[in-house]
Amino acid sequence: MQSSRSMVIDPKKRGRFLAPFFVFVLPALIVVGAILAYPVIYALAISLTDRELLYLGKTNFIGLRNYSEMIRDRNFWHSLSLQLGFIAIAIPIQLVIGLFVAILFNREFPFSKILRSLLMLPVFVLPVLSGLTWRLMLQPSYGVLASFFNSISLGPIAWLADTRYAYVAILLQDIWRMWPFMFMIIYAGLSSMPSEYVEAARIDGANFFQRFWYVLLPYLKSVIATAFLLRMIDALRIFSEVYVMTYGGPSNATMLLSLYIHKQAFEFGRLSYAASVAVFLLIVALFISYFVVKRGLRGEIE
Amino acid sequence: MRKRVISFVVLLVALSIVLIELFPIMVVIVNGFKRDIDIWSKNPFYFKPTLRSYQLIFTHREFPRSLRNSFVVASLSALVSVSLGSMAAYGLSRFNFKFNDALIFILLMVRMIPQISLAVPFYMIFRSIGLNDNVLGLSLAHISFNLPYVVALLLPFFSSIPREYEEAAKVDGCRTFQIFLKIFFPLASAGIVVAAVFAFLMSWNEFIYALVLTGTRAKTAPIVVNAFLGQYAPLWGQLSAAGTIMLLPVFAVTLSLQRYIIRGLSAGGIKG
C-alpha cells in the first residue's frame, strides 16, 4: 500500500500510530472473528466428530472419517460434477452473450443509457423470486415458456420433473439472470479502451473479425478473467434458485453441492458429515477467491 | 444517413434484447394483477386487472410481519456493517501496521465464503445460545457477509482521498477520530451510501440463512414468498404480488446507483 509506505514512522511515535489503528480496525476484527472465523473453526471441529441433529448423546471424535466417507460417496462426486458442469456450460454462454451485447452497446445510439441500466435488473432480482418465476414459466400445462417451447415443437416437456431437463432448466435460469453481469463488467472494460486502438487496426485494413480477435479480446483478457473467476465463485454458491425450482431433484439431477450440504444437514440430520462437505466447498471457494483478490488487489487498493 | 440507419438498427436489436431479458420480470409484475384463474389461462395478455392478490398478501397471516423482519434485518446488518466497516477501511488505509496487507488480503478473500458453509455452524452456535429464530441472530449472520463486503468496497474510496486533507485538519488541531468523522466521512459519503445500499440489498435478497436460522417469528419475506408455492395449490397470484413488492427496492437501487453498480458488483457479488 503506497499510502503507508509514504509515511515514515519514528519508532518512538509508533505507539501513537498504533493506538488509533486499533481503535478503528479492532471492532471490525472482533466482529469478523466472532461471526466468521469462529463458525469456520466450529465447522472444522464438528466435521471431525459424529454429531447428528437429533442425537442428544455424547459426540465422539472420529478424525477424518467424515472426509473419507465424502470421498467414497458417489452422490458427492455427482454433485461436484453437476457443479463443474455448471461452470463449464453456463459461464461460457454468459460470457459470449455478454461480450457481444457489450460490443453492441459500445456505440452511440438513442436510449442506450436507459436500456443499459434496464439490462442490469435481473442480476439484482432475488434468486428465490427468479427461481419461482422460472418454475411458473416452465409449468408444462400453463407456463408461458413451456407453451413457447411447445409451439416450436420442443415439447411437451415436464421441465422440472424430468431428470434430463431439470438441469437444463436451472442452467437456463442462471444464464438468463447472470449474463448481464458479464455484460456490465466487459462493457466497463470496453469503454475504458482508447478508441485509437480500433481506429489504427481499421486503418491497417483489419475487418471486424480481425479487430475483434487481435485488438478487443487481448485488451479485455484480464477483465474477462476476473469476471470468470467471480462467476465461478457465484456458481459454487448457487442455492436458493435451485432450492425453490427443484430442491435438487428429480432424483438428484440438480443436487448441486450447497443443496447436498443442506439436505445432509437438515433433512438427514447428519450435521458433522454436512460440515465436512461445507469445509470442502469453503476451501475451494477461498482458493478461487485468492486468485480474484491477487488479480484485483493491484487495482483495488493502490 | 448510413450512420443513422445503423444506429436505428442497433437500437432495435438492443431493445429486443432488453425486452426478452425483462420478460420474466414482467411476468411477475403482470401476474400480481391477475386472478389465479387468469394465470392458468393460455393467453397471458388477456385478463382483467385486479388488486385482489395485493389485498390478500397485506391481510396475510405472515407476509406483513416477514416484510417488516426483512426490513429490520437488512437495515440492522447494513448499519452495523457500514459503521464498523468504514472505520476499519479508514484505519487500514491510513495507519501503518505490520499485518496491514495480510489483514486486507484476508478480508477481501473471506467476503466470498459460500453462505451454506457457515449455515451448519451458525445453526448449532445459535441454537446453543438461543439466537435461533431471532431477528438479531439473523442480522448477525448477515453481517458476516456484509462487513467484509463493505470494507472491500470502501478501501479504494478511502485510499483515493489525498493525504493533504488530513494533514491540514491535523494542523488545525483535529484529533484522529474527528478527522475521520469530519473529513473522511463526508468525502467518502458517496462510497458509504453505495456500501450501505448494497449491503441492505444483499440482506434483502438473502435466503439460505433465513431458511436455516428462522422458524416462525423471525421469518423474512423471501421465505414466505416461497411458501406461497404451497403443498397442493400454488398461489401464483399472491406469490407474484409479494415478489413485486420485494422487487421495489431492487428497482430503486439499480436505476439510481448505475454509476456505482460495477464497483459494487465486483466488490462482492449480490447473490443470496
Side-chain angles (χ1 to χ4, degrees):
Chain A
M1 282 189 45
Q2 101 229 97
S3 51
S4 48
R5 245 179 254 126
S6 65
M7 200 154 84
V8 182
I9 293 176
D10 179 350
K12 269 175 285 174
K13 282 187 184 166
R14 201 184 172 99
R16 274 172 53 201
F17 278 106
L18 283 184
F21 176 87
F22 280 116
V23 170
F24 283 106
V25 183
L26 208 56
L29 284 186
I30 292 171
V31 172
V32 166
I35 59 178
L36 255 171
Y38 179 60
V40 168
I41 294 166
Y42 199 101
L44 259 172
I46 56 170
S47 74
L48 303 174
T49 68
D50 58 357
R51 185 68 197 254
E52 306 262 328
L53 186 62
L54 296 172
Y55 175 65
L56 300 170
K58 196 169 166 289
T59 309
N60 301 304
F61 175 82
I62 58 165
L64 295 174
R65 216 179 296 164
N66 282 321
Y67 290 96
S68 73
E69 185 190 335
M70 178 179 95
I71 292 173
R72 279 179 285 113
D73 186 355
R74 273 175 46 208
N75 289 329
F76 165 75
W77 290 105
H78 173 70
S79 292
L80 189 63
S81 67
L82 291 180
Q83 205 88 48
L84 294 176
F86 217 92
I87 291 168
I89 300 167
I91 302 181
I93 294 176
Q94 287 162 346
L95 180 65
V96 171
I97 304 176
L99 186 60
F100 281 101
V101 178
I103 291 172
L104 185 78
F105 271 78
N106 196 34
R107 52 163 65 236
E108 288 292 316
F109 64 91
F111 310 113
S112 60
K113 258 203 180 128
I114 179 79
L115 290 178
R116 206 173 65 214
S117 53
L118 284 175
L119 264 190
M120 271 317 279
L121 277 174
V123 177
F124 296 91
V125 167
L126 300 73
V128 178
L129 189 60
S130 168
L132 289 168
T133 309
W134 277 80
R135 184 167 167 170
L136 170 65
M137 293 192 304
L138 290 171
Q139 282 288 338
S141 49
Y142 51 86
V144 191
L145 261 191
S147 352
F148 170 72
F149 286 133
N150 240 340
S151 66
I152 54 172
S153 53
L154 258 171
I157 295 167
W159 284 90
L160 298 176
D162 189 315
T163 45
R164 282 167 302 170
Y165 295 112
Y167 190 62
V168 178
I170 61 167
L171 281 173
L172 275 178
Q173 188 276 146
D174 193 74
I175 291 167
W176 165 74
R177 198 160 54 87
M178 292 310 277
W179 77 256
F181 172 80
M182 287 290 195
F183 158 72
M184 250 4 223
I185 302 270
I186 294 171
Y187 177 81
L190 206 55
S191 50
S192 72
M193 185 172 86
S195 59
E196 294 88 59
Y197 284 22
V198 176
E199 283 312 313
R202 206 195 296 266
I203 289 165
D204 287 348
N207 61 28
F208 173 80
F209 182 76
Q210 288 167 324
R211 292 200 300 271
F212 173 75
W213 196 253
Y214 295 108
V215 183
L216 279 183
L217 270 191
Y219 184 82
L220 293 173
K221 210 168 60 186
S222 87
V223 170
I224 290 174
T226 306
F228 204 97
L229 287 170
L230 282 171
R231 288 289 304 126
M232 263 172 88
I233 298 176
D234 264 355
L236 287 180
R237 299 193 292 187
I238 283 172
F239 179 83
S240 25
E241 56 274 45
V242 183
Y243 180 89
V244 300
M245 278 171 87
T246 61
Y247 190 28
S251 65
N252 286 353
T254 57
M255 191 63 73
L256 296 168
L257 272 174
S258 51
L259 288 132
Y260 178 69
I261 294 170
H262 183 271
K263 199 165 189 151
Q264 290 292 338
F266 300 106
E267 203 174 301
F268 303 152
R270 307 191 59 210
L271 289 179
S272 282
Y273 179 68
S276 321
V277 187
V279 168
F280 167 81
L281 188 65
L282 183 87
I283 290 169
V284 176
L286 284 180
F287 182 73
I288 302 171
S289 177
Y290 174 83
F291 291 103
V292 176
V293 176
K294 261 204 117 153
R295 299 186 71 88
L297 209 59
R298 275 163 271 139
E300 230 171 304
I301 294 176
E302 285 191 9
Chain B
M1 186 62 206
R2 185 166 167 259
K3 229 178 168 175
R4 282 182 62 180
V5 171
I6 290 180
S7 80
F8 183 71
V9 171
V10 172
L11 170 66
L12 279 187
V13 175
L15 195 65
S16 34
I17 292 172
V18 171
L19 281 178
I20 294 171
E21 186 59 15
L22 295 188
F23 181 74
I25 298 176
M26 290 186 283
V27 166
V28 175
I29 296 172
V30 169
N31 280 349
F33 295 102
K34 281 181 183 175
R35 292 175 304 158
D36 273 346
I37 190 91
D38 290 325
I39 293 175
W40 296 325
S41 89
K42 284 276 177 224
N43 187 341
F45 300 108
Y46 180 74
F47 68 97
K48 222 168 79 190
T50 162
L51 286 173
R52 180 84 185 124
S53 296
Y54 283 91
Q55 208 180 352
L56 283 171
I57 58 163
F58 278 112
T59 54
H60 186 266
R61 174 166 58 84
E62 284 182 317
F63 184 70
R65 189 177 55 183
S66 74
L67 204 59
R68 203 175 58 222
N69 283 343
S70 275
F71 187 79
V72 171
V73 169
S75 310
L76 205 61
S77 78
L79 188 73
V80 174
S81 303
V82 167
S83 327
L84 296 181
S86 59
M87 275 166 62
Y90 172 71
L92 288 169
S93 74
R94 291 295 141 159
F95 301 109
N96 193 29
F97 181 52
K98 239 198 311 195
F99 305 114
N100 229 345
D101 291 350
L103 278 179
I104 292 173
F105 203 90
I106 291 171
L107 274 172
L108 292 182
M109 249 174 84
V110 297
R111 71 186 196 256
M112 304 191 188
I113 287 180
Q115 260 112 285
I116 191 73
S117 289
L118 295 184
V120 176
F122 267 139
Y123 175 79
M124 295 181 71
I125 295 167
F126 282 9
R127 196 170 65 168
S128 64
I129 57 175
L131 274 178
N132 258 351
D133 199 13
N134 183 309
V135 173
L136 214 64
L138 187 59
S139 309
L140 270 179
H142 282 188
I143 292 168
S144 72
F145 56 79
N146 272 337
L147 180 56
Y149 166 79
V150 168
V151 176
L153 192 94
L154 286 183
L155 263 176
F157 266 103
F158 279 143
S159 301
S160 68
I161 294 173
R163 299 191 78 74
E164 285 75 39
Y165 287 103
E166 57 183 313
E167 306 287 333
K170 227 176 252 168
V171 172
D172 289 345
C174 270
R175 312 222 8 213
T176 317
F177 207 80
Q178 283 176 314
I179 295 177
F180 171 68
L181 276 183
K182 292 188 175 155
I183 313 285
F184 274 79
F185 219 74
L187 279 176
S189 58
I192 289 168
V193 169
V194 173
V197 170
F198 268 77
F200 181 93
L201 205 58
M202 286 202 283
S203 263
W204 186 255
N205 286 355
E206 204 279 329
F207 184 72
I208 302 180
Y209 290 154
L211 182 73
V212 172
L213 301 176
T214 69
T216 47
R217 284 173 294 127
K219 246 191 244 178
T220 58
I223 303 294
V224 176
V225 170
N226 179 42
F228 280 123
L229 210 55
Q231 210 159 3
Y232 305 106
L235 305 168
W236 288 115
Q238 293 178 52
L239 192 159
S240 306
T244 307
I245 288 168
M246 293 295 295
L247 282 178
L248 292 178
V250 176
F251 290 161
V253 171
T254 319
L255 297 178
S256 60
L257 292 182
Q258 313 171 31
R259 240 157 37 90
Y260 301 100
I261 279 178
I262 294 175
R263 211 166 188 174
L265 279 179
S266 51
I270 200 84
K271 290 200 51 121

